């Protein structure tokens, strides 16, 4: 998704902005640009990578100045062209702005501005906002921004500068994340902490309708009606090392290998083995409500939804609470029924996904107790839920989510045991679950050791354009996750589904040599999965099975086997997903794709 970096201070802005843009590259973008104030306004934009923008700046001698803003654009309104790239400006007033989000009423505003004589050079909704601020400008940038934002509907995070006020930077937010990093005599505004931490660890996340006017001497925080808002400054829990590639070739690869450590961090201090219970400080104030909960709705998108689906199974199976997992994008618009005692759990790595946030709001408005299962500390979802449990898996930069998935499943299993122990589970039973849970990081390590073998298997099949991923019970969501991983980075068409569903139509797709990945670990439905495997092979399909170590018999029934260590079934997705992540990673590398910058994808989807 689009990225914003802006700076006001005493240092040269250009290198700092470029470095910030590079830190935001992982979010996905198709063009980039920056503007710097130095007597006048200087703008440079380029299609493609930040490196193209750098080249262009070099060819033109670069831009001097200590106040500026920069942007990576992910096209929504208008194609990928230099004219559509940000920053956008209003020449009459000398106003220049970068924007993340979508201005929904841009068309009406554009007509109004055209009638006033404004001439547009791009197809974007952002240029409309720049012109609107310019139209309303009467010598005070902060006031003009507030006035313009009172007229717009939609989502925005913006940073704005003006030729006539060269020592002022104004930023604002509604629905799209934005942070003000607070240094000494300098401020770095960014849509993501990763562009700030090299300069300061003190930051102020903006709330919806917050407008902040920044000078080198300080800042003023207000809302769009100019009512002062007291600033909430937080410490960023992110260090530079965590967001560097180190010895790895790709962030996705790094994050796959970080999973054992990520899980250990996730469990640390949360498992009280002797008492046979789970300690979740974030939930303790709501323990009573959770014990009495009548229903749990888990919601999210993409990978987060797949983790939520596993949470649904665990909550019903172990804590005996009616539960359901739903796409946030559907939940938010379907007039849902929220009875007394309903708990909604928003699952999200970024904590900024627009649909998940909207579903959460809808559930809260209807009286649900809201919990967040979120990775990014201080993110919007983490701030807007009543309580929550952080994943603690560290920053996830790779667009394809990996360690966040195992972290989400791990946290949902902790929440399940937290509730189960208080409702239906004895201390001894709970202790046995916790013992199993604690073995997972080492077992993940054992699966990772098989990366070379997984690569070889992948090599044999990665020229095929259609794959199936099939599983049952707890590993049906794992099958969905395997298919999602493969398609998003290798661009191979893959479908995930419950193994039993295959017979209801998709079996027609199976032809000679079509790869079908089965999650066939030992569990309640093992025999049924084996029957489905036979059906695929009878039609010429080639089966790659993810099976339990020690299951030698399965080798006689499939083309390839990838083994995972034995584990109690509800916890198995944290192991069975690992070979699928590695297969997707290897397939993308073999096919020559940029694993960390998959086409058309954004790390965090902050628009509908
Ligand atoms: O930040 P979130 O977890 O809310 O993001 C949800 C999805 O956009 C995300 O999981 C997406 O599906 C990933 N690209 C999957 O790898």
């Amino acid at each position: 998704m689009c990225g914003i970096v802006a700076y006001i201070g005493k240092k040269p802005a250009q290198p700092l902005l470029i470095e910030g843009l590079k830190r935001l590259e992982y979010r996905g973008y198709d063009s980039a640009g920056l503007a710097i104030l130095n007597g006048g306004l200087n703008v440079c934009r380029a299609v493609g990578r930040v490196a193209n923008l750098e080249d262009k700046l070099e060819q033109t001698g670069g831009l001097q100045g200590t106040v500026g803003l920069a942007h990576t654009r992910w096209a929504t309104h208008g194609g990928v062209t230099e004219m559509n790239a940000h920053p956008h400006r209003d020449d009459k007033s000398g106003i220049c702005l970068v924007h993340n989000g979508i201005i929904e009423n841009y068309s009406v505003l554009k007509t109004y501005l055209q009638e006033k004589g404004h001439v547009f050079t791009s197809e974007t909704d952002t240029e409309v906002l720049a012109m609107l601020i310019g139209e309303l400008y009467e010598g005070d940038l902060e006031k003009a921004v507030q006035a313009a934002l009172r007229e717009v509907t939609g989502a925005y995070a913006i940073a704005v500068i003006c030729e006539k006020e060269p020592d002022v930077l104004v930023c604002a937010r509604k629905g799209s994340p934005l942070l003000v990093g607070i240094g000494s005599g300098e401020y770095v505004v960014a849509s993501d902490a990763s562009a700030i931490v090299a300069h300061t660890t003190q930051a102020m996340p903006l709330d919806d309708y917050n407008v902040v006017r920044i000078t080198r001497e300080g800042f003023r925080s207000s809302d769009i009606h100019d009512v002062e808002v007291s600033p909430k400054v937080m410490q960023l829990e992110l260090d530079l090392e965590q967001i560097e590639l180190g010895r790895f070739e790709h962030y996705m690869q790094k994050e796959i290998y970080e999973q054992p450590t990520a899980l250990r961090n996730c469990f640390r201090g949360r498992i009280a083995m002797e008492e046979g219970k789970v300690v979740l400080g974030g939930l303790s104030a709501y323990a009573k409500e959770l014990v009495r909960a009548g229903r749990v709705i888990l919601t999210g998108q993409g990978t987060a939804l797949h983790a939520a689906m596993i949470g649904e199974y665990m909550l019903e199976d172990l804590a005996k609470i009616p539960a359901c997992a739903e796409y946030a994008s559907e939940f938010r618009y379907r007039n849902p029924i929220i009875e007394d005692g309903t708990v909604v759990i928003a699952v999200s790595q970024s904590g900024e996904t627009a649909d998940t946030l909207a579903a959460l709001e809808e559930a809260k408005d209807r009286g649900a107790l809201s919990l967040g299962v979120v990775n990014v500390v201080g993110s919007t979802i983490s701030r807007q839920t009543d309580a929550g449990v952080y994943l603690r898996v560290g920053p996830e930069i790779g667009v394809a989510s990996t360690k966040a998935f195992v972290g989400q499943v791990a946290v949902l299993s902790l929440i399940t045991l937290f509730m189960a122990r208080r409702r239906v589970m004895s201390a001894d039973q709970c202790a046995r679950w916790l013992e199993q849970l604690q073995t997972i990081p080492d077992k993940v390590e054992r699966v990772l050791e098989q990366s070379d073998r997984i690569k070889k298997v992948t090599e044999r099949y990665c020229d095929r354009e259609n794959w199936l991923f099939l599983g049952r019970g707890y590993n049906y969501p794992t099958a969905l996750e395997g298919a999602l991983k493969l398609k998003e980075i290798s661009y191979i068409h893959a479908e995930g589904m419950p193994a039993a569903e295959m017979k209801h139509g998709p079996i027609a797709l199976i032809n000679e040599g079509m790869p079908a990945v089965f999650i066939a670990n030992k569990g309640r439905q093992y025999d049924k999965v084996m029957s489905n495997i036979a059906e695929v092979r009878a039609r010429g399909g080639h089966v790659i099975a993810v099976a339990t170590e020690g299951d030698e018999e399965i080798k006689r029934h499939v083309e390839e086997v990838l083994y995972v260590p034995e584990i109690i079934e509800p916890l198995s997705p944290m192991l069975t997903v690992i070979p699928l992540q590695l297969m997707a990673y290897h397939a993308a590398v073999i096919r020559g794709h940029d694993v960390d910058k998959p086409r058309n994808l954004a790390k965090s989807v902050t628009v509908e």
Side-chain angles (χ1 to χ4, degrees):
M1 201 47 50
C2 308
I4 289 176
V5 201
Y7 177 75
I8 180 164
K10 297 186 180 96
K11 294 184 193 140
Q14 183 186 303
L16 198 142
L17 294 175
I18 291 288
E19 182 234 48
L21 288 186
K22 286 186 178 164
R23 299 241 179 247
L24 298 180
E25 280 192 295
Y26 78 94
R27 293 165 65 100
Y29 69 104
D30 43 50
S31 52
L34 57 70
I36 293 182
L37 284 171
N38 188 20
L41 189 61
N42 298 297
V43 179
C44 184
R45 301 180 292 184
V47 167
R49 296 285 178 226
V50 174
N52 300 355
L53 178 67
E54 262 186 305
D55 287 347
K56 211 167 165 191
L57 284 163
E58 209 177 295
Q59 283 155 22
T60 51
L63 302 180
Q64 311 304 316
T66 56
V67 180
L69 34 85
H71 192 259
T72 45
R73 173 176 187 252
W74 189 79
T76 56
H77 294 64
V80 182
T81 64
E82 194 177 313
M83 294 306 269
N84 287 335
H86 300 206
H88 287 285
R89 58 199 286 180
D90 172 54
D91 284 332
K92 250 198 278 173
S93 59
I95 274 162
C96 185
L97 133 162
V98 289
H99 165 226
N100 287 356
I102 292 175
I103 304 299
E104 286 166 3
N105 59 340
Y106 82 100
S107 179
V108 179
L109 293 171
K110 191 167 183 174
T111 309
Y112 161 78
L113 290 163
Q114 278 167 332
E115 281 164 8
K116 292 255 172 195
H118 290 268
V119 178
F120 289 83
T121 57
S122 80
E123 303 152 271
T124 65
D125 52 332
T126 301
E127 192 181 15
V128 174
L129 185 54
M131 300 276 189
L132 182 63
I133 297 172
E135 178 64 27
L136 299 170
Y137 184 70
E138 289 174 352
D140 184 331
L141 183 59
E142 182 189 22
K143 290 214 156 37
V145 169
Q146 289 166 333
L149 295 181
R150 289 197 293 270
E151 302 303 324
V152 305
T153 55
Y156 54 79
I158 55 170
V160 197
I161 51 178
C162 176
E163 265 176 359
K164 295 175 186 153
E165 296 177 60
D167 300 309
V168 176
L169 169 65
V170 174
C171 58
R173 153 206 170 128
K174 190 204 153 209
S176 258
L178 201 65
L179 294 149
V180 178
I182 305 165
S184 132
E186 64 174 6
Y187 296 84
V188 184
V189 175
S191 45
D192 186 315
S194 60
I196 295 179
V197 282
H199 310 284
T200 176
T201 53
Q202 293 282 100
M204 176 175 72
L206 268 63
D207 283 323
D208 279 353
Y209 301 110
N210 227 183
V211 178
V212 182
R213 177 185 189 275
I214 310 168
T215 65
R216 291 181 188 81
E217 288 70 43
F219 64 87
R220 174 180 184 267
S221 173
S222 62
D223 68 11
I224 56 171
H225 301 288
D226 202 31
V227 176
E228 289 225 18
V229 173
S230 47
K232 285 176 230 136
V233 178
M234 61 180 259
Q235 183 76 20
L236 295 177
E237 290 180 16
L238 186 67
D239 60 55
L240 221 43
E241 219 174 275
Q242 287 179 296
I243 53 175
E244 310 265 292
L245 256 184
R247 65 187 170 90
F248 293 96
E249 280 172 54
H250 300 102
Y251 281 106
M252 183 187 180
Q253 183 193 27
K254 177 179 184 241
E255 286 153 12
I256 289 174
Y257 280 89
E258 279 174 348
Q259 292 179 111
T261 310
L263 284 169
R264 288 184 189 107
N265 289 339
C266 175
F267 294 147
R268 185 161 301 124
R270 290 171 167 171
I271 293 179
M273 190 62 83
E274 275 162 30
E275 295 148 67
K277 69 179 200 195
V278 171
V279 184
L280 295 173
L283 298 191
S284 53
Y286 291 93
K288 266 196 194 138
E289 282 91 333
L290 292 174
V291 173
R292 293 186 198 133
R295 192 158 73 103
V296 178
I297 298 167
L298 302 105
T299 192
Q301 295 289 141
T303 289
L305 181 74
H306 300 155
M309 290 167 78
I310 296 166
E312 167 194 336
Y313 282 41
M314 287 194 289
L315 282 161
E316 291 208 342
D317 195 5
L318 310 181
K320 308 292 175 211
I321 302 175
C324 62
E326 290 193 50
Y327 279 113
S329 56
E330 292 299 315
F331 178 84
R332 65 183 287 190
Y333 288 118
R334 73 162 176 75
N335 205 6
I337 295 169
I338 302 284
E339 303 119 337
D340 258 6
T342 299
V343 176
V344 65
I345 304 184
V347 184
S348 172
Q349 188 286 130
S350 61
E352 303 293 351
T353 299
D355 283 317
T356 310
L357 251 167
L360 177 68
E361 288 306 318
E362 188 65 33
K364 276 171 62 179
D365 285 351
R366 290 170 188 242
L369 173 70
S370 63
L371 307 185
V373 171
V374 169
N375 194 33
V376 178
V377 177
S379 56
T380 310
I381 293 179
S382 75
R383 287 184 283 127
Q384 294 194 355
T385 36
D386 295 308
V389 183
Y390 281 120
L391 307 185
R392 293 201 207 137
V393 297
E396 191 179 70
I397 308 282
V399 172
S401 190
T402 52
K403 63 177 178 174
F405 176 78
V406 295
Q408 285 156 354
V409 178
V411 165
L412 289 169
S413 60
L414 290 171
I415 294 177
T416 300
L417 293 173
F418 181 92
M419 293 170 83
R421 174 74 184 85
R422 287 166 172 80
R423 292 166 66 101
V424 289
M425 209 179 247
S426 72
D428 284 352
Q429 283 170 322
C430 190
R432 281 199 291 278
W433 280 95
L434 293 172
E435 263 166 34
Q436 289 276 319
L437 209 51
Q438 280 184 319
T439 66
I440 290 182
D442 289 352
K443 290 179 176 170
V444 171
E445 244 153 36
R446 269 162 53 195
V447 185
L448 292 173
E449 283 162 14
Q450 299 171 50
S451 178
D452 288 345
R453 157 135 177 76
I454 294 170
K455 186 175 172 189
K456 283 206 180 92
V457 171
T458 311
E459 267 163 1
R460 268 173 232 146
Y461 294 97
C462 72
D463 60 339
R464 317 290 160 86
E465 294 303 329
N466 294 296
W467 290 48
L468 285 181
F469 285 77
L470 302 152
R472 283 172 174 259
Y474 281 100
N475 282 297
Y476 150 49
T478 318
L480 296 182
E481 178 59 7
L484 176 62
K485 285 291 87 84
L486 189 69
K487 61 189 146 195
E488 67 181 333
I489 54 168
S490 71
Y491 317 144
I492 292 171
H493 173 243
E495 276 196 54
M497 68 192 76
E501 179 63 14
M502 186 187 63
K503 284 203 290 287
H504 299 275
I507 198 164
L509 294 170
I510 295 168
N511 55 16
E512 194 56 40
M514 179 182 187
V517 179
F518 273 88
I519 296 92
N521 56 319
K522 288 281 180 187
R524 280 178 281 197
Q525 299 192 59
Y526 177 78
D527 292 340
K528 310 262 179 225
V529 172
M530 292 310 292
S531 306
N532 298 137
I533 286 178
E535 286 153 10
V536 167
R537 293 188 84 222
R539 285 153 187 87
H542 284 193
V543 171
I544 303 166
V546 176
T548 306
E549 277 174 7
D551 182 0
E552 294 299 320
E553 170 62 18
I554 198 169
K555 285 184 182 160
R556 299 200 306 116
H557 304 280
V558 300
E559 275 62 35
E560 311 282 353
V561 191
L562 305 172
Y563 283 113
V564 296
E566 189 160 9
I567 188 80
I568 206 155
E569 196 179 356
L571 306 181
S572 65
M574 284 181 271
L575 299 181
T576 51
V577 77
I578 311 289
L580 310 187
Q581 296 171 342
L582 283 167
M583 277 174 72
Y585 173 75
H586 290 309
V589 173
I590 295 165
R591 288 166 71 106
H593 300 311
D594 188 342
V595 174
D596 289 329
K597 298 187 190 78
R599 74 177 175 214
N600 305 336
L601 285 185
K603 178 64 183 159
S604 175
V605 184
T606 54
V607 292
E608 270 195 68

mmCIF file of all heavy atoms in Angstrom, residues 301-304 347-353 356 399-401 408 481 484-485 488 601-605, ligand 1:
data_model
loop_
_atom_site.group_PDB
_atom_site.id
_atom_site.type_symbol
_atom_site.label_atom_id
_atom_site.label_comp_id
_atom_site.label_asym_id
_atom_site.label_seq_id
_atom_site.Cartn_x
_atom_site.Cartn_y
_atom_site.Cartn_z
ATOM 1 N N GLN A 301 -8.819 -10.882 7.327
ATOM 2 C CA GLN A 301 -8.742 -11.066 5.868
ATOM 3 C C GLN A 301 -7.495 -11.880 5.544
ATOM 4 O O GLN A 301 -6.511 -11.837 6.283
ATOM 5 C CB GLN A 301 -8.643 -9.717 5.156
ATOM 6 C CG GLN A 301 -9.858 -8.812 5.283
ATOM 7 C CD GLN A 301 -11.077 -9.265 4.516
ATOM 8 O OE1 GLN A 301 -12.175 -9.145 5.010
ATOM 9 N NE2 GLN A 301 -10.915 -9.802 3.325
ATOM 10 N N GLY A 302 -7.510 -12.544 4.410
ATOM 11 C CA GLY A 302 -6.325 -13.245 3.920
ATOM 12 C C GLY A 302 -5.805 -14.261 4.926
ATOM 13 O O GLY A 302 -6.563 -15.046 5.514
ATOM 14 N N THR A 303 -4.505 -14.213 5.127
ATOM 15 C CA THR A 303 -3.859 -15.137 6.058
ATOM 16 C C THR A 303 -4.457 -15.033 7.457
ATOM 17 O O THR A 303 -4.637 -16.041 8.147
ATOM 18 C CB THR A 303 -2.346 -14.817 6.092
ATOM 19 O OG1 THR A 303 -1.797 -15.232 4.834
ATOM 20 C CG2 THR A 303 -1.634 -15.528 7.203
ATOM 21 N N ALA A 304 -4.762 -13.815 7.872
ATOM 22 C CA ALA A 304 -5.314 -13.628 9.216
ATOM 23 C C ALA A 304 -6.649 -14.358 9.352
ATOM 24 O O ALA A 304 -6.960 -14.923 10.411
ATOM 25 C CB ALA A 304 -5.482 -12.135 9.502
ATOM 26 N N VAL A 347 -8.395 -10.352 14.052
ATOM 27 C CA VAL A 347 -7.062 -10.938 13.856
ATOM 28 C C VAL A 347 -6.375 -10.175 12.727
ATOM 29 O O VAL A 347 -6.927 -10.055 11.625
ATOM 30 C CB VAL A 347 -7.171 -12.442 13.496
ATOM 31 C CG1 VAL A 347 -5.771 -13.064 13.395
ATOM 32 C CG2 VAL A 347 -8.016 -13.193 14.515
ATOM 33 N N SER A 348 -5.190 -9.635 13.005
ATOM 34 C CA SER A 348 -4.519 -8.837 11.982
ATOM 35 C C SER A 348 -3.045 -8.670 12.319
ATOM 36 O O SER A 348 -2.708 -8.332 13.458
ATOM 37 C CB SER A 348 -5.178 -7.456 11.903
ATOM 38 O OG SER A 348 -4.451 -6.606 11.057
ATOM 39 N N GLN A 349 -2.191 -8.909 11.346
ATOM 40 C CA GLN A 349 -0.760 -8.664 11.561
ATOM 41 C C GLN A 349 -0.525 -7.167 11.749
ATOM 42 O O GLN A 349 0.033 -6.735 12.741
ATOM 43 C CB GLN A 349 0.033 -9.185 10.349
ATOM 44 C CG GLN A 349 1.547 -9.191 10.482
ATOM 45 C CD GLN A 349 2.209 -7.840 10.394
ATOM 46 O OE1 GLN A 349 3.020 -7.489 11.257
ATOM 47 N NE2 GLN A 349 1.871 -7.055 9.410
ATOM 48 N N SER A 350 -0.970 -6.397 10.755
ATOM 49 C CA SER A 350 -0.659 -4.961 10.757
ATOM 50 C C SER A 350 -1.468 -4.178 11.778
ATOM 51 O O SER A 350 -1.034 -3.148 12.263
ATOM 52 C CB SER A 350 -0.955 -4.379 9.377
ATOM 53 O OG SER A 350 -2.332 -4.542 9.074
ATOM 54 N N GLY A 351 -2.689 -4.661 12.045
ATOM 55 C CA GLY A 351 -3.597 -3.893 12.894
ATOM 56 C C GLY A 351 -4.172 -2.692 12.160
ATOM 57 O O GLY A 351 -4.735 -1.783 12.780
ATOM 58 N N GLU A 352 -4.041 -2.661 10.826
ATOM 59 C CA GLU A 352 -4.489 -1.497 10.058
ATOM 60 C C GLU A 352 -5.419 -1.884 8.911
ATOM 61 O O GLU A 352 -5.826 -1.004 8.146
ATOM 62 C CB GLU A 352 -3.291 -0.737 9.468
ATOM 63 C CG GLU A 352 -2.259 -0.252 10.468
ATOM 64 C CD GLU A 352 -2.776 0.826 11.411
ATOM 65 O OE1 GLU A 352 -3.888 1.335 11.192
ATOM 66 O OE2 GLU A 352 -2.053 1.143 12.373
ATOM 67 N N THR A 353 -5.725 -3.151 8.735
ATOM 68 C CA THR A 353 -6.531 -3.575 7.585
ATOM 69 C C THR A 353 -7.915 -2.924 7.641
ATOM 70 O O THR A 353 -8.643 -3.078 8.633
ATOM 71 C CB THR A 353 -6.624 -5.116 7.558
ATOM 72 O OG1 THR A 353 -5.293 -5.602 7.433
ATOM 73 C CG2 THR A 353 -7.469 -5.615 6.412
ATOM 74 N N THR A 356 -11.023 -5.112 8.344
ATOM 75 C CA THR A 356 -11.026 -5.695 9.695
ATOM 76 C C THR A 356 -11.393 -4.622 10.726
ATOM 77 O O THR A 356 -12.170 -4.872 11.656
ATOM 78 C CB THR A 356 -9.651 -6.324 9.998
ATOM 79 O OG1 THR A 356 -9.309 -7.173 8.903
ATOM 80 C CG2 THR A 356 -9.670 -7.134 11.273
ATOM 81 N N VAL A 399 5.734 -9.349 2.087
ATOM 82 C CA VAL A 399 4.300 -9.166 1.784
ATOM 83 C C VAL A 399 3.537 -10.456 2.072
ATOM 84 O O VAL A 399 2.415 -10.442 2.574
ATOM 85 C CB VAL A 399 4.124 -8.710 0.317
ATOM 86 C CG1 VAL A 399 2.653 -8.697 -0.064
ATOM 87 C CG2 VAL A 399 4.719 -7.323 0.136
ATOM 88 N N ALA A 400 4.156 -11.584 1.766
ATOM 89 C CA ALA A 400 3.503 -12.859 2.069
ATOM 90 C C ALA A 400 3.678 -13.146 3.558
ATOM 91 O O ALA A 400 4.782 -13.293 4.059
ATOM 92 C CB ALA A 400 4.143 -13.968 1.238
ATOM 93 N N SER A 401 2.568 -13.200 4.241
ATOM 94 C CA SER A 401 2.597 -13.363 5.693
ATOM 95 C C SER A 401 2.994 -14.800 6.064
ATOM 96 O O SER A 401 2.439 -15.755 5.536
ATOM 97 C CB SER A 401 1.198 -13.047 6.218
ATOM 98 O OG SER A 401 1.204 -12.961 7.596
ATOM 99 N N GLN A 408 -0.362 -15.944 15.009
ATOM 100 C CA GLN A 408 -1.810 -15.799 15.225
ATOM 101 C C GLN A 408 -2.418 -17.107 15.734
ATOM 102 O O GLN A 408 -3.230 -17.117 16.664
ATOM 103 C CB GLN A 408 -2.482 -15.380 13.904
ATOM 104 C CG GLN A 408 -2.227 -13.918 13.566
ATOM 105 C CD GLN A 408 -2.350 -13.621 12.071
ATOM 106 O OE1 GLN A 408 -2.519 -14.516 11.247
ATOM 107 N NE2 GLN A 408 -2.255 -12.349 11.718
ATOM 108 N N GLU A 481 -4.306 -21.620 3.285
ATOM 109 C CA GLU A 481 -3.109 -20.787 3.455
ATOM 110 C C GLU A 481 -2.006 -21.215 2.479
ATOM 111 O O GLU A 481 -1.319 -20.367 1.900
ATOM 112 C CB GLU A 481 -2.643 -20.889 4.922
ATOM 113 C CG GLU A 481 -1.390 -20.116 5.274
ATOM 114 C CD GLU A 481 -1.481 -18.609 5.026
ATOM 115 O OE1 GLU A 481 -2.561 -18.108 4.701
ATOM 116 O OE2 GLU A 481 -0.446 -17.939 5.129
ATOM 117 N N LEU A 484 -2.909 -19.809 -0.895
ATOM 118 C CA LEU A 484 -2.716 -18.353 -0.928
ATOM 119 C C LEU A 484 -1.230 -18.007 -1.057
ATOM 120 O O LEU A 484 -0.848 -17.153 -1.865
ATOM 121 C CB LEU A 484 -3.308 -17.712 0.340
ATOM 122 C CG LEU A 484 -3.096 -16.204 0.506
ATOM 123 C CD1 LEU A 484 -3.757 -15.426 -0.624
ATOM 124 C CD2 LEU A 484 -3.631 -15.709 1.841
ATOM 125 N N LYS A 485 -0.389 -18.697 -0.282
ATOM 126 C CA LYS A 485 1.044 -18.413 -0.346
ATOM 127 C C LYS A 485 1.569 -18.651 -1.758
ATOM 128 O O LYS A 485 2.292 -17.836 -2.295
ATOM 129 C CB LYS A 485 1.846 -19.308 0.620
ATOM 130 C CG LYS A 485 1.782 -18.994 2.074
ATOM 131 C CD LYS A 485 2.446 -17.728 2.504
ATOM 132 C CE LYS A 485 1.529 -16.558 2.406
ATOM 133 N NZ LYS A 485 0.624 -16.277 3.474
ATOM 134 N N GLU A 488 0.230 -15.949 -4.337
ATOM 135 C CA GLU A 488 0.603 -14.537 -4.211
ATOM 136 C C GLU A 488 2.057 -14.233 -4.575
ATOM 137 O O GLU A 488 2.357 -13.131 -5.007
ATOM 138 C CB GLU A 488 0.216 -13.939 -2.859
ATOM 139 C CG GLU A 488 0.923 -14.455 -1.657
ATOM 140 C CD GLU A 488 0.435 -13.793 -0.375
ATOM 141 O OE1 GLU A 488 -0.036 -12.662 -0.406
ATOM 142 O OE2 GLU A 488 0.548 -14.439 0.679
ATOM 143 N N LEU A 601 0.472 -6.459 -5.200
ATOM 144 C CA LEU A 601 0.126 -6.689 -3.792
ATOM 145 C C LEU A 601 0.685 -5.611 -2.880
ATOM 146 O O LEU A 601 1.731 -5.043 -3.146
ATOM 147 C CB LEU A 601 0.678 -8.028 -3.310
ATOM 148 C CG LEU A 601 -0.033 -9.282 -3.775
ATOM 149 C CD1 LEU A 601 0.576 -10.491 -3.115
ATOM 150 C CD2 LEU A 601 -1.508 -9.204 -3.453
ATOM 151 N N ALA A 602 -0.022 -5.388 -1.794
ATOM 152 C CA ALA A 602 0.440 -4.454 -0.773
ATOM 153 C C ALA A 602 0.508 -5.198 0.546
ATOM 154 O O ALA A 602 -0.294 -6.103 0.787
ATOM 155 C CB ALA A 602 -0.536 -3.311 -0.660
ATOM 156 N N LYS A 603 1.435 -4.841 1.379
ATOM 157 C CA LYS A 603 1.567 -5.523 2.666
ATOM 158 C C LYS A 603 0.344 -5.283 3.534
ATOM 159 O O LYS A 603 -0.152 -6.181 4.187
ATOM 160 C CB LYS A 603 2.834 -5.029 3.377
ATOM 161 C CG LYS A 603 3.061 -5.631 4.759
ATOM 162 C CD LYS A 603 3.278 -7.119 4.682
ATOM 163 C CE LYS A 603 3.437 -7.780 6.040
ATOM 164 N NZ LYS A 603 3.159 -9.230 5.969
ATOM 165 N N SER A 604 -0.094 -4.040 3.537
ATOM 166 C CA SER A 604 -1.197 -3.727 4.428
ATOM 167 C C SER A 604 -2.297 -3.056 3.601
ATOM 168 O O SER A 604 -2.039 -2.062 2.927
ATOM 169 C CB SER A 604 -0.653 -2.801 5.515
ATOM 170 O OG SER A 604 -1.671 -2.375 6.329
ATOM 171 N N VAL A 605 -3.492 -3.617 3.642
ATOM 172 C CA VAL A 605 -4.563 -3.122 2.774
ATOM 173 C C VAL A 605 -5.442 -2.160 3.574
ATOM 174 O O VAL A 605 -6.392 -2.566 4.238
ATOM 175 C CB VAL A 605 -5.373 -4.293 2.169
ATOM 176 C CG1 VAL A 605 -6.416 -3.781 1.187
ATOM 177 C CG2 VAL A 605 -4.430 -5.263 1.453
HETATM 178 O O1 LIG B 1 -2.310 -7.061 8.306
HETATM 179 P P1 LIG B 1 -3.379 -8.101 8.215
HETATM 180 O O2 LIG B 1 -3.005 -9.371 8.891
HETATM 181 O O3 LIG B 1 -4.720 -7.597 8.672
HETATM 182 O O4 LIG B 1 -3.506 -8.423 6.674
HETATM 183 C C1 LIG B 1 -4.505 -9.274 6.191
HETATM 184 C C2 LIG B 1 -4.212 -9.689 4.768
HETATM 185 O O5 LIG B 1 -4.166 -8.576 3.924
HETATM 186 C C3 LIG B 1 -2.888 -10.445 4.663
HETATM 187 O O6 LIG B 1 -2.863 -11.577 5.486
HETATM 188 C C4 LIG B 1 -2.631 -10.895 3.202
HETATM 189 O O7 LIG B 1 -3.565 -11.850 2.823
HETATM 190 C C5 LIG B 1 -1.205 -11.429 3.046
HETATM 191 N N1 LIG B 1 -0.637 -10.909 1.840
HETATM 192 C C6 LIG B 1 -1.130 -12.902 2.987
HETATM 193 O O8 LIG B 1 0.153 -13.369 2.800
#
